Amino acid sequence: MASTLGSAQLLSILLFLILQFVSGFIINEDKYKRQVFLELNPGLNSSITPPPGVSLLHVRAVGANDTLHYFFCSLGAPALLLVHTNSSSSSVKVDWLRFLSGNASSLQVEPKSSVQYSNALIFTRLWEYEDANDTADPQHLPPSSFFPPYELQDFTWGDLSETMNATSKTAKLCGGDSGPSFSNGSFCLQISAFGSGGRDHDWPRLLHNANSSQIKVWLDGVTARSNKSRFSLELQTVGRSDLPSRVDVLRSIDDEYTPSIFQVVQWVASPVNSTSPVLGYTQWKPVAYRTASPNGYQTSGLNVTFGISGDPFYSATNYLSWTLLVGLGSPPADSFSPMVMGIIAVGLGTPLLLILVGGICVCVRKREAKPLAYEPIN
Ligand SMILES: *[C@@H]1O[C@H](CO)[C@@H](O)[C@H](O)[C@H]1NC(C)=O
Ligand SMILES: *[C@@H]1O[C@H](CO)[C@@H](O)[C@H](O)[C@H]1NC(C)=O
Ligand SMILES: *[C@@H]1O[C@H](CO)[C@@H](O)[C@H](O)[C@H]1NC(C)=O
Ligand SMILES: *[C@@H]1O[C@H](CO)[C@@H](O)[C@H](O)[C@H]1NC(C)=O
Ligand SMILES: *[C@@H]1O[C@H](CO)[C@@H](O)[C@H](O)[C@H]1NC(C)=O
Ligand SMILES: *[C@@H]1O[C@H](CO)[C@@H](O)[C@H](O)[C@H]1NC(C)=O
Ligand SMILES: *[C@@H]1O[C@H](CO)[C@@H](O)[C@H](O)[C@H]1NC(C)=O
Ligand SMILES: *[C@@H]1O[C@H](CO)[C@@H](O)[C@H](O)[C@H]1NC(C)=O
Ligand SMILES: *[C@@H]1O[C@H](CO)[C@@H](O)[C@H](O)[C@H]1NC(C)=O
Ligand SMILES: *[C@@H]1O[C@H](CO)[C@@H](O)[C@H](O)[C@H]1NC(C)=O
Ligand SMILES: *[C@@H]1O[C@H](CO)[C@@H](O)[C@H](O)[C@H]1NC(C)=O
C-alpha cells in the first residue's frame, strides 16, 4: 500500500512539473514596458506651413533608462526612422525650413551623445509585373514583364493628423498618384506603436514587444495593368555602414495564429562579425508573398514580392496587404502558443492522469479489500 501511495505522489509531482513547464512557456512573455507618446510635427509653429500631405509623426516610447524614437514621415517616399537613445529624457529637434527642403540632417535627437542606434526603412517603389506563366518569381522574368514602377515619392499623401489615434497608438498614411490606376484605389501604410509585448489582432498576428513597432501595408482598389498582375514592394534601409544588413529566413511554428506559415523572414542589422548581437531588425512572415533575396544576402535594398505561384492574381480581389515589424535588438521569436501548449499538456498529462487515477483506484480497492478480509462473521 505504501509503495502505491509513493508512486501516486511521484506521478502528481511529475504532473505538477509538466504544468510548471507548460505555464513557463505561456507566461514566457517579455515584461519590458514603455510609455508611448504620439506627437505630430514636433516643433512646428504657425510661422511655417508645410505643403499639403507632408507630415511628420514622432512616436516616443520611453523606457526606464532609454527611449525609442520613431519618425514616420511622408516627405518624399514614406519612411520610418528608428532612433534608440540611452536616456529617458532625450528629445527631438526639427529645423522645419531645412526639413521641408529635404535635408535629412535637419532632424536631430538630443543629446546627440545618447544615440545608440539608428536605422531608416524607406518604402521606395511599387512594382507591378505581368506574371504570364504564374511563377510569382519576378527575378526570372524578362524586363518586358514589368510595368513602369510607381515611385512612392511622387505620390500625393493624406494628412497624418486626420488618421492619428493617440488611444490605439496608430496612424495611417494613404496615397496615390494621378494616373488612372489609382483613381479608385490607394496605397496605405499604418503604423502601430507598442508599449508592451503582445500579438496583433489582425492576421498574420505577428508577435511584438515594447521594443518594436508594426507597419501594415495595403493596396486597395487599384486597377491592375494586366489580368495577371502581381506586385512587389521595394524597400531601402539606411543605417551605419559598419552595420551591414542581411536577410535571414527562419523556420517558425505553425500554430493557430498563422496556420501553415512555417517561415519568418527578418532583415537584420548586425556588426560584420556575426557572433555579435543583432542591433535592429525588420521582420515579417511570408504570408502570400515571397522575397526575391536569398538567405544570408547582405543588402540595403530589397524587393518583397506578393503572391505565390497558384495564388489568385491581384485583379481577383483588388486587395492585398502585408505586415512587418520594425524594432530594436533581437526580433521576437514565436514560442509555442498557449493552445499548442494546451494540446501538449493534455496529450502528455492525460496518460499520466490516467496512470495516477489508476494508481489511486488500485490503492482504494486494496484498502477496501483488506477490511473485507477481517470482517467479523456475525
Ligand atoms: C517658430 O519657431 C522658430 C524656431 O523654431 C522661432 O524662431 C520662431 O520665433 C517661432 N515663431 C512663433 C510664431 O512662435
Ligand atoms: C536605470 O538606471 C538606474 C540608475 O542609473 C539604475 O539604478 C536602474 O537599475 C536602471 N534601470 C534599468 C531598468 O536598467
Ligand atoms: C544639410 O544641412 C547641413 C547643415 O546646414 C549642410 O551642411 C548640408 O550640406 C545640407 N545637406 C544638403 C543635402 O543640403
Ligand atoms: C550613453 O551612451 C554614451 C555613449 O554612446 C555614453 O557616453 C553615456 O555615458 C551613456 N549614458 C548613460 C546615461 O548611460
Ligand atoms: C512562359 O512559358 C513559355 C513556355 O515555357 C516560355 O516560352 C515563355 O518565355 C514564358 N514566358 C515568360 C514571361 O516567362
Ligand atoms: C482610436 O482607437 C480606439 C481604440 O482602438 C477606438 O476606440 C477609437 O474609436 C479610435 N478613435 C478614432 C477617432 O478612430
Ligand atoms: C472608378 O470607379 C467609377 C465608379 O465606380 C467607375 O465608373 C470608373 O470606371 C472607375 N475607374 C477605374 C479606372 O476603374
Ligand atoms: C527592450 O529594450 C530594453 C532596453 O534596451 C531591454 O532591457 C529589453 O530586454 C528589451 N526587450 C527585448 C524583448 O528585446
Ligand atoms: C483581361 O481579360 C479580359 C477578358 O478575358 C479582356 O477583355 C481584357 O482585355 C483583359 N485586360 C487586359 C489588361 O489584358
Ligand atoms: C571580424 O573578425 C575578423 C577575423 O575574425 C577580424 O579580422 C575583423 O577585424 C573583425 N571585424 C570587426 C569589425 O570586428
Ligand atoms: C526590384 O525589382 C526591380 C524589377 O526587377 C529591379 O529593377 C530593382 O532593381 C529591384 N530592386 C532591388 C532593391 O532589388
Side-chain angles (χ1 to χ4, degrees):
M1 189 176 138
S3 72
T4 320
L5 256 183
S7 61
Q9 269 166 350
L10 194 73
L11 283 168
S12 52
I13 288 167
L14 256 175
L15 196 65
F16 175 74
L17 284 178
I18 285 170
L19 285 176
Q20 283 283 88
F21 172 78
V22 167
S23 60
F25 263 99
I26 296 170
I27 301 162
N28 185 23
E29 272 170 15
D30 185 36
K31 291 284 185 296
Y32 199 78
K33 285 200 164 43
R34 291 176 186 278
Q35 261 193 298
V36 179
F37 307 94
L38 270 67
E39 179 189 17
L40 202 68
N41 299 335
L44 182 69
N45 63 27
S46 53
S47 65
I48 296 166
T49 310
V54 172
S55 34
L56 173 69
L57 173 72
H58 173 217
V59 179
R60 208 157 46 96
V62 184
N65 287 333
D66 72 331
T67 308
L68 262 171
H69 296 272
Y70 300 101
F71 300 94
F72 186 49
C73 128
S74 59
L75 176 67
L80 180 70
L81 173 67
L82 167 70
V83 179
H84 183 229
T85 70
N86 64 357
S87 154
S88 54
S89 58
S90 54
S91 62
V92 165
K93 214 177 108 192
V94 183
D95 182 337
W96 275 92
L97 273 181
R98 273 170 53 218
F99 178 75
L100 292 175
S101 74
N103 190 321
S105 68
S106 56
L107 201 160
Q108 303 269 344
V109 172
E110 292 182 332
K112 245 178 153 174
S113 62
S114 68
V115 174
Q116 305 292 301
Y117 171 77
S118 66
N119 198 56
L121 183 68
I122 307 164
F123 298 84
T124 47
R125 288 191 186 92
L126 182 67
W127 291 89
E128 180 178 354
Y129 61 96
E130 184 177 14
D131 192 11
N133 287 347
D134 193 7
T135 58
D137 186 4
Q139 268 191 325
H140 299 105
L141 284 181
S144 61
S145 298
F146 288 87
F147 295 100
Y150 296 107
E151 299 284 346
L152 298 181
Q153 62 175 3
D154 298 336
F155 273 28
T156 306
W157 299 100
D159 197 342
L160 278 171
S161 68
E162 287 162 12
T163 58
M164 186 178 102
N165 187 333
T167 314
S168 61
K169 315 242 182 304
T170 58
K172 188 174 79 173
L173 187 65
C174 284
D177 71 3
S178 52
S181 292
F182 274 88
S183 61
N184 289 336
S186 57
F187 175 79
C188 297
L189 301 131
Q190 173 168 295
I191 181 170
S192 311
F194 306 111
S196 59
R199 201 182 275 279
D200 195 36
H201 294 297
D202 293 334
W203 200 69
R205 308 210 54 192
L206 283 181
L207 198 66
H208 60 249
N209 60 37
N211 297 346
S212 61
S213 70
Q214 182 179 285
I215 293 214
K216 182 180 174 187
V217 179
W218 67 99
L219 189 65
D220 191 10
V222 173
T223 308
R225 286 174 280 183
S226 84
N227 281 343
K228 293 189 162 183
S229 275
R230 291 195 193 280
F231 288 87
S232 70
L233 186 63
E234 190 174 306
L235 309 172
Q236 300 283 340
T237 177
V238 181
R240 265 162 47 193
S241 55
D242 60 329
L243 292 178
S245 56
R246 62 168 197 273
V247 174
D248 292 342
V249 181
L250 309 178
R251 292 192 70 79
S252 181
I253 292 160
D254 177 32
D255 60 15
E256 78 270 24
Y257 298 123
T258 38
S260 79
I261 306 301
F262 286 102
Q263 284 182 332
V264 166
V265 182
Q266 44 203 39
W267 195 11
V268 297
S270 72
V272 182
N273 288 339
S274 55
T275 47
S276 306
V278 169
L279 294 177
Y281 61 87
T282 300
Q283 185 198 57
W284 61 90
K285 283 189 178 180
V287 178
Y289 55 79
R290 303 192 335 181
T291 54
S293 298
N295 191 5
Y297 190 65
Q298 296 213 336
T299 179
S300 60
L302 181 80
N303 278 329
V304 178
T305 302
F306 305 101
I308 54 172
S309 173
D311 266 7
F313 296 105
Y314 180 77
S315 47
T317 56
N318 274 5
Y319 183 88
L320 67 82
S321 81
W322 181 53
T323 306
L324 73 161
L325 197 72
V326 175
L328 177 81
S330 301
D334 271 312
S335 59
F336 290 109
S337 73
M339 187 177 134
V340 171
M341 287 317 293
I343 291 169
I344 293 175
V346 169
L348 281 179
T350 308
L352 276 178
L353 201 68
L354 286 176
I355 294 168
L356 187 69
V357 169
I360 289 170
C361 283
V362 169
C363 170
V364 167
R365 272 178 62 185
K366 273 190 181 167
R367 244 197 213 183
E368 281 171 348
K370 272 178 188 163
L372 264 181
Y374 292 101
E375 216 164 32
I377 299 153
N378 291 326

